[in-house]
Amino acid sequence: MTNTLTGNEPGTVYAVFFYLPTCPYCHAVIENTFPAWESEFGDQLFIVSINASTSGTETLFSAACRVYGVDRCGSVPLLLIGDRYLLGSVDIPDIGTPLI
């Protein structure tokens, strides 16, 4: 995966993933979906993963929910891609794969 966040690399998709370390649904995405995406998309996909359980990241998580209009803010796993949000261990792989 690319290690820059400039957004200028043509054909590269950037995403932000909010998770909680104790969330089994988050771990399902991390352990099952992300490796498959790594194999399929390689350097064309860059995901920033954020643990939403600390005081600083809770604020960021809440702000992202407001900006994206997430109706169930506080629920994880949450993946932000472009102007879309995907919530849950079913929507992330089912909708995320074709979206990328």
Side-chain angles (χ1 to χ4, degrees):
M1 290 189 191
T2 185
N3 59 7
T4 63
L5 283 174
T6 62
N8 294 327
E9 292 78 15
T12 301
V13 174
Y14 297 89
V16 177
F17 178 70
F18 287 98
Y19 71 96
L20 294 174
T22 57
C23 168
Y25 304 105
C26 300
H27 285 281
V29 171
I30 293 166
E31 295 167 10
N32 300 317
T33 303
F34 288 174
W37 285 356
E38 174 71 27
S39 294
E40 185 172 351
F41 303 112
D43 288 343
Q44 293 178 305
L45 177 63
F46 185 85
I47 301 172
V48 175
S49 296
I50 300 173
N51 175 349
S53 68
T54 67
S55 62
T57 57
E58 285 176 354
T59 303
L60 181 61
F61 180 57
S62 293
C65 285
R66 279 192 307 278
V67 168
Y68 278 80
V70 177
D71 55 350
R72 292 182 298 167
C73 190
S75 296
V76 288
L78 173 66
L79 184 71
L80 309 174
I81 301 177
D83 61 353
R84 303 267 317 260
Y85 75 88
L86 306 175
L87 189 59
S89 61
V90 174
D91 283 355
I92 291 173
D94 288 355
I95 298 170
T97 302
L99 184 62
I100 295 168

